Amino acid sequence: MRRKISLKPITLLLFLSTFFFYGQEEVEHIEAKPDKKTEIKEYIQHHLKDSYDFSLFSYEAESGEVKHISFPLPVILWDGGLRIFSSSKLHHGEAVAEVDGNFYKSYHGKIYKTDASGTIDYNEEHHPINEKPLDFSITKNVFTIFIIGFLMFAMFASMAKKYKRGNAIPVGVGRFLEPIVLYIRDDIAIPNIGKKHYKRYMSFLLTVFFFIWIINLLGLTPLGVNVTNNIAVTLALALLTYIITTFTANKNYWGHIFWMPGVPWPMKIILAPIELLGTLIKPFSLLIRLYANITAGHIVLMSIIGLMFIFKNWLGSSLSFGLAFALSLLELLVAALQAYIFTMLSALYFGSAVEEHHADH
Amino acid sequence: MEKLINEFSIGLFFWQLVLFVGLVLLLRKFAWKPILDAVEKRETGIDEALKSAEKAKLEMQNLQADNQKLLQEARMEREAMLKEARDLKAKMIEDAKGEAQNQANKIIEQAQAAIESEKKAAIAELKNQVANLSIEIAEKVVREELSSKDKQLKLVESMLGETTFN
Amino acid sequence: MEIPTIVGAGLIVIGAGLGIGKIGGSAMDAIARQPEASGKIQTAMLIAAALIEGIGFAALFAA
């Protein structure tokens, strides 16, 4: 499994709560401190997961308890009816929330339906077998994407307003954003899609680029939100690319899939399923790439930050600090690069969908 | 893989899809379209300005060439006019000279003719007068000669004497 | 004897790394030879690298 692989190098690491870095949900008691290896492992796993409340930071109180400053978010469940309640009722998985006579408990980041005492039954593999209601909660990630959506809208709408006002010279943030917008138009959309059709796709390409970029950058901030390392998010984005490709494709595109011109007919029959599969693999590679790059980046970066605390001597700690710093810079590049590649490949797929017939094949 | 599927959050997927589609549509209406339109307008504006500047430059050049040509023409015209005038002057002088010469010649001729005829007339008159005088003289002489019978006879006799009969 | 999946993962990473390295190297060569075409070469390089990366990730998840 992937996790086993990526966590191998960090089994030696120790985690200490950094004041401003990643938030944590549970209140841990010092005397019950688990093994340090497992602790850091769990911490990183926890960080990569979604949560039902938005934690800002944590600190160690004088009583020896680790306190977490967070604010609750609404939990929305569909369980034979809409159930909405605050995530504070779940008490980070320690309490059973009662809503309209139903009982829910969160276990390992998932909400399960339980009885009044909150029993969770397990199968042999220690997986809970309780019923899972459909979960449409505004989790930390959902909350973040809404914030980002709002920010993007505010930013670009105000930028557009300044353009509308008549002076066609960008002002303020537009001065920084306009070259990027133009770059996406001139170096991504036009060369890959072609001058004739590119306008239809510009909205999607621009939105997806800025969305991924901003969200990746936000993942590098101490807020500890990681949206793009969630496969649901990347799947949604890649699915949209696939849908747009499929629905805007012309005859030529389908012709190349089902009846590849220029090859003998037995080959055509063999090629058709391969090509059809190819159309699915393309967006699949998009979603996996974004997800895996960001996840791997986070795991490695956090592990190296953890190293700072494990060495506890000036040489090792300063070395790992330097490494973490360099890696953060690299992640900054990766954040933009992944957004670029996603946009670029989307444009490429759109381009293949609207490509006009060529005489050479 | 199996873990990924287990951890797949339908809620997040749903919200992401809804939010993103909404965001694309909203931004298209309120941001991308105006921004791209404005940029395009600006670009075409710049393009047109450049083109018109080029055109103006070309026109300027044409105008300058025209001016040059006009100037050249004017200069040439002036030259031609001057030349013509000079020619005319020369011709006029020439003509005048010729005319004067002719006139003079004519006058001289006429004068000569007049002189000639006067001379002739004078000569004729002189002749007449001489003849008349001669006749008068001759008359007077004859009268004198023949005033007396002796003399007449003497004459006849001299004449007869002169005459020899052959 | 069962081979641990991490060995497979290592093999995948070696393969993908070699592939992407080759692409990067060739792209550098091409850019050095034709600096004026660097934009197009970069695009092609990224696409090729992205495809290999995609396969690599797919294999990693299978491992």
Side-chain angles (χ1 to χ4, degrees), chain B residues 60-77:
Chain B
M60 194 68 137
Q61 270 175 355
N62 279 350
L63 219 69
Q64 261 177 356
D66 275 4
N67 273 353
Q68 205 68 31
K69 221 169 110 195
L70 232 68
L71 217 68
Q72 194 77 20
E73 265 170 22
R75 206 173 285 143
M76 267 161 71
E77 208 165 329

Side-chain angles (χ1 to χ4, degrees), chain A residues 20-23 47-48 54 140-141 144-145 148 210-230 294-295 297-299 301-302 305 328 331-332 335-336:
Chain A
F20 59 90
F21 224 66
Y22 306 105
H47 164 77
L48 295 175
F54 202 108
K140 190 169 84 172
N141 285 345
T144 312
I145 60 172
I148 284 172
F210 283 108
F211 187 82
I212 295 176
W213 190 32
I214 294 172
I215 222 157
N216 283 348
L217 286 179
L218 211 65
L220 293 173
T221 61
L223 283 174
V225 285
N226 308 289
V227 183
T228 32
N229 72 5
N230 207 302
I294 302 302
T295 311
H298 273 266
I299 290 172
L301 189 56
M302 286 177 74
I305 288 169
S328 299
E331 283 301 302
L332 220 55

